[in-house]
Amino acid sequence: MKSRPRVLVIEEIKHIIESFIKASYRAKIAGYDGVELHAAHGYLLNQFISPYTNKRTDQYGGSLENRARIVVEIINGIKSSVGSQFPVIVRMSVKEFVHGGLDIPESTKFARVFQEIGADALHITTGIHETLDKNVDTVWAPEAWRVPLAEKIKEKLNIPTIAVGVIRDPGMAEQILSQKKADFIAVGRNFLSEPTWPRKVMLQMPIRKCVSCGFCSQHLVEHKGLRCAINPELGRKGNEIFVTGLNRNSSIAVVGGGPSGMVAAINFAKNGFQVSLYEQEEHLGGMLDVVASVPGKDKWQWFRNYLLDTVGRLNINVELNHKIDSLAMLKEERVVVATGGLPVIPNIAGIDIDCCADISSFIRQSPQLTHRKIVVYGARGSGLEAALLAASNDNEVVVISRSPKNELGTNLNPLYRASLIKKLEDLEVLFKFKHEVLNVETGEAVLKDHQTNQIIKLQLDYFIYARGFNSNRSLLSSHGKKHFICIGSCYNPGNIADAVQQGYFAIRKLEMASQE
């Protein structure tokens, strides 16, 4: 049951202050080198500091001095209890992005107060609960976007400042430090996607940079444990892919060079297998190039580049422009089929005329289409992203959904979904809910409004359908006596995280299939 917020009484505040001090003492005797006070992101200490949330009229509210008091008393208490040489960092949201909230001028004054009473460093961040996208960076957040804020605070301080926020590339991190825009770089989610990031930087190895997709945050919110869309090992035991029944010197064929196929090929190669990766196109990557073409999702190109670089460094035989028509033609006895999915073609009269295309074909062939009337049929994630791409290029876009408004993009991460819908609204994309497309003709689409049974005609230059994908299992009827498994969208259409997970566990799945 949710409780109703209330004002803390003085005795409770004193107890909270003492609890912070005792926790810091325990941290020191446990061997920690310092502590960081989280006075950011809408949490309790931030609520005291911010004029947006602190409406108290006693010694802990009102003036800047009073609103800073709880943090000041905590720092003083820690230094008295643990020693002046024990570092205390204060993390604070210097810009809250709400009317009446903290901004740089007042945050600079707070920073000076904390410096004067003994804080050893300031960790500069942004946002509160109401502006979550300025706290948990979404795909839209550009690289190092908070650094100018950290730099402004640093100019007024003598103690070190720490910069954070989409600093994924080591070259960029080094540039920030060398230009003295900050004294330290904080790395968060990048350690989820690449736990050995510092070591790989030193050895100049490929880095699996976080793409800000929000998969990890969503899993935590849903109490599913910590997972990463592009690092399948996160939160798992090291022996979960342990191989016992397969000969590690045996040869493996992976058919399909999308994310699932590449992850599978990489994992087989790292475990000593002889791997051949077959791809019918002239390049590897599958749908990753389509995903990375959507405005704001260009970071997915980082993951594609990581996979390509890793495949190139391993002993994997890559066969491009090599279409496999039958598993029987392969020399390998064990096969991983990662042939992806095929777009669902809606049963609509006229769907085969030139102005109609599925979402992936549209993105690949017509990304620069401008000043046209475009109708998108489908309002889940892919449909909304197609609409965003089209609208961002100055097209007039209408999205048709058979479902009600509350089901718009429900397969997306909630934070990304909210920001995506807001961008579509800002671009004046028109939505028609509970409508069905009856037929498409050159120049128009005929719709039925299921609420009124009215027939509507829409003018169009282009019709994009985003009705999902079906598994491409055309090879499975000709497997002969080979041991094979399906992974990725070939097994069950899903997202990139699903593809990566299945690619990672392909070893275990093939082992089980070989024992049957």
Side-chain angles (χ1 to χ4, degrees):
M1 177 182 292
K2 294 183 179 180
S3 60
R4 184 183 180 88
R6 62 174 178 80
V7 177
L8 288 167
V9 300
I10 297 298
E11 290 75 14
E12 290 174 311
I13 295 174
K14 296 300 183 182
H15 175 73
I16 290 169
I17 293 170
E18 189 62 28
S19 296
F20 271 99
I21 296 168
K22 289 180 178 178
S24 301
Y25 175 77
R26 291 194 298 271
K28 181 177 182 180
I29 63 175
Y32 285 92
D33 297 317
V35 294
E36 180 175 86
L37 302 180
H38 195 358
H41 300 162
Y43 292 104
L44 183 62
L45 298 184
N46 185 186
Q47 292 173 21
F48 272 94
I49 293 171
S50 174
Y52 177 73
T53 48
N54 189 342
K55 307 301 180 184
R56 301 179 70 96
T57 57
D58 59 8
Q59 68 265 41
Y60 289 98
S63 67
L64 185 145
E65 180 184 2
N66 285 352
R67 284 183 281 128
R69 190 179 304 278
I70 188 172
V71 177
V72 169
E73 292 182 356
I74 290 171
I75 295 174
N76 283 335
I78 293 172
K79 295 293 185 176
S80 297
S81 172
V82 182
S84 60
Q85 299 304 308
F86 188 68
V88 177
I89 302 168
V90 179
R91 190 178 200 196
M92 56 184 297
S93 289
V94 298
K95 189 176 180 66
E96 295 180 322
F97 295 95
V98 291
H99 180 70
L102 287 171
D103 211 333
I104 292 297
E106 189 172 41
S107 293
T108 301
K109 295 177 183 178
F110 274 114
R112 286 173 173 169
V113 170
F114 299 149
Q115 173 181 265
E116 289 170 4
I117 55 92
D120 296 280
L122 268 292
H123 186 169
I124 309 305
T125 184
T126 57
I128 54 176
H129 297 310
E130 289 89 332
T131 52
L132 193 59
D133 62 322
K134 303 301 183 183
N135 166 358
V136 181
D137 293 320
T138 66
V139 294
W140 318 109
E143 290 187 77
W145 72 274
R146 290 190 188 89
V147 170
L149 303 178
E151 186 177 14
K152 288 182 180 180
I153 299 294
K154 175 179 168 58
E155 291 171 354
K156 306 297 182 181
L157 297 180
N158 297 319
I159 60 174
T161 56
I162 303 169
V164 69
V166 203
I167 305 173
R168 310 280 159 72
D169 184 75
M172 177 169 287
E174 188 60 44
Q175 184 180 38
I176 293 166
L177 297 176
S178 64
Q179 293 178 353
K180 301 188 185 304
K181 294 180 178 181
D183 300 288
F184 293 93
I185 300 297
V187 178
R189 285 182 289 175
N190 220 34
F191 280 119
L192 302 183
S193 63
E194 190 62 89
T196 58
W197 190 80
R199 177 174 175 271
K200 287 192 170 184
V201 170
M202 288 189 295
L203 298 177
Q204 297 185 329
M205 296 173 65
I207 296 174
R208 186 170 43 196
K209 295 187 286 189
C210 169
V211 297
S212 301
C213 68
F215 186 81
C216 55
S217 304
Q218 183 178 0
H219 262 240
L220 287 177
V221 169
E222 295 174 354
H223 304 288
K224 293 181 178 178
L226 193 57
R227 292 287 187 270
C228 174
I230 61 175
N231 177 12
E233 296 179 341
L234 181 67
R236 301 187 186 278
K237 297 177 181 178
N239 63 353
E240 285 196 39
I241 63 161
F242 186 69
V243 181
T244 56
L246 294 180
N247 181 356
R248 288 179 182 263
N249 292 319
S250 62
S251 59
I252 305 290
V254 179
V255 182
S260 193
M262 283 197 286
V263 170
I266 289 168
N267 223 18
F268 275 108
K270 285 183 175 179
N271 281 274
F273 294 90
Q274 300 172 33
V275 183
S276 290
L277 177 58
Y278 299 94
E279 170 54 49
Q280 66 178 4
E281 302 293 338
E282 62 182 4
H283 57 79
L284 298 173
M287 290 288 288
L288 283 172
D289 61 335
V290 172
V291 173
S293 297
V294 175
K297 300 187 77 171
D298 54 301
K299 296 182 185 69
W300 280 104
Q301 198 65 245
W302 294 346
F303 183 52
R304 180 177 183 269
N305 292 340
Y306 164 79
L307 292 177
L308 291 174
D309 200 343
T310 306
V311 167
R313 288 170 179 253
L314 295 170
N315 186 26
I316 297 174
N317 174 41
V318 179
E319 300 282 352
L320 299 177
N321 296 307
H322 197 124
K323 190 175 187 301
I324 304 298
D325 296 313
S326 167
L327 297 186
M329 67 183 285
L330 294 167
K331 62 182 182 294
E332 296 87 358
E333 287 301 315
R334 293 183 172 86
V335 182
V336 177
V337 183
T339 47
L342 298 172
V344 174
I345 302 174
N347 186 21
I348 298 172
I351 197 67
D352 56 348
I353 62 178
D354 290 343
C355 68
C356 298
D358 65 87
I359 179 175
S360 56
S361 298
F362 168 74
I363 290 176
R364 283 176 170 145
Q365 298 170 11
S366 308
Q368 302 305 319
L369 202 67
T370 60
H371 304 292
R372 306 293 179 86
K373 294 181 178 180
I374 296 179
V375 173
V376 178
Y377 190 30
R380 289 172 67 79
S382 59
L384 298 184
E385 290 178 341
L388 177 65
L389 176 61
S392 298
N393 288 332
D394 295 320
N395 293 295
E396 185 180 321
V397 181
V398 180
V399 176
I400 310 299
S401 173
R402 296 187 298 178
S403 303
K405 183 178 181 178
N406 62 353
E407 295 183 20
L408 189 65
T410 50
N411 63 323
L412 297 172
N413 169 288
L415 187 57
Y416 173 60
R417 173 181 179 264
S419 57
L420 175 57
I421 292 173
K422 177 65 166 55
K423 287 185 178 293
L424 293 172
E425 291 171 346
D426 291 344
L427 289 167
E428 299 182 348
V429 170
L430 179 64
F431 292 92
K432 288 189 176 295
F433 301 103
K434 295 186 177 180
H435 281 65
E436 186 172 3
V437 179
L438 300 180
N439 64 279
V440 181
E441 302 171 5
T442 301
E444 71 176 19
V446 179
L447 318 179
K448 181 178 181 180
D449 184 340
H450 283 296
Q451 299 175 94
T452 65
N453 289 324
Q454 183 181 1
I455 302 300
I456 303 170
K457 291 186 177 181
L458 283 181
Q459 289 186 330
L460 61 80
D461 297 304
Y462 222 91
F463 182 86
I464 307 167
Y465 52 92
R467 305 296 301 164
F469 291 83
N470 288 325
S471 296
N472 179 11
R473 299 186 178 183
S474 58
L475 288 179
L476 305 191
S477 60
S478 58
H479 60 82
K481 296 182 179 180
K482 295 183 182 296
H483 297 290
F484 73 93
I485 58 169
C486 294
I487 61 172
S489 290
C490 174
Y491 175 72
N492 185 34
N495 54 33
I496 294 177
D498 297 325
V500 170
Q501 297 288 331
Q502 290 183 37
Y504 179 75
F505 286 109
I507 292 180
R508 192 168 68 178
K509 188 173 181 179
L510 187 58
E511 178 186 16
M512 294 172 64
S514 300
Q515 293 172 351
E516 293 178 355

